[in-house]
Amino acid sequence: MEMKKHGLSIGINRIENVFFVTLKVTGTLTHDDYLVITPMLEGALSQVKQAKVSLFLDATELDGWDLHAAWDDLTLGLIHQSEFERVAIWGNKNWQQWAAKIGSWFIAGEIQYFEKQDDALKWLRY
């Protein structure tokens, strides 16, 4: 039986003088994942002392969400919609680009999808 890994890791990184929150998502996220993720993300956001936060999302290992987790993701985005200045999504699947476009409807800041990590990180710097 093959074990399927899923979840999220959160960090705070810096390129030159620009700080940003990083998220690495793996597998298919569930509602139980969001019960753990939400307080972790809110804790990370509270540590950044800027009025607006940039976010780097590594979605290269993301397979998607179950239905309840998709609702959790939308709710989390709506709660924190005004806190994000820039969201760079690094992915490798066509549907992720569409998800980024849909996500831009719910986030006050800019959202861009990238197929190259370096391009995403360069965009966050400006």
Side-chain angles (χ1 to χ4, degrees):
M1 175 184 216
E2 181 182 343
M3 291 190 337
K4 293 203 175 205
K5 186 171 78 165
H6 63 97
L8 183 125
S9 57
I10 298 176
I12 298 175
N13 288 306
R14 182 175 71 149
I15 298 175
E16 296 167 358
N17 63 344
V18 177
F19 286 88
F20 56 94
V21 174
T22 60
L23 302 176
K24 167 121 176 112
V25 189
T26 305
T28 302
L29 294 177
T30 67
H31 174 65
D32 289 338
D33 292 326
Y34 275 86
L35 293 176
V36 174
I37 290 166
T38 300
M40 290 173 56
L41 179 60
E42 290 173 346
L45 289 173
S46 72
Q47 297 303 308
V48 179
K49 301 301 179 201
Q50 298 168 323
K52 299 279 187 176
V53 176
S54 290
L55 174 73
F56 174 76
L57 173 61
D58 178 350
T60 56
E61 295 181 33
L62 174 64
D63 295 326
W65 301 261
D66 70 19
L67 186 57
H68 198 163
W71 180 256
D72 292 333
D73 192 64
L74 175 63
T75 302
L76 189 62
L78 290 172
I79 290 169
H80 295 286
Q81 66 180 323
S82 63
E83 295 175 33
F84 293 106
E85 181 174 36
R86 286 187 165 205
V87 177
I89 300 173
W90 173 38
N92 53 10
K93 297 170 184 81
N94 287 337
W95 65 265
Q96 293 170 339
Q97 188 170 9
W98 286 102
K101 289 178 182 179
I102 292 168
S104 70
W105 301 341
F106 303 102
I107 300 289
E110 296 178 71
I111 296 179
Q112 291 286 326
Y113 172 83
F114 299 89
E115 292 183 352
K116 295 180 182 176
Q117 182 181 27
D118 286 347
D119 292 343
L121 294 172
K122 286 177 188 173
W123 182 76
L124 282 180
R125 282 193 344 210
Y126 299 105

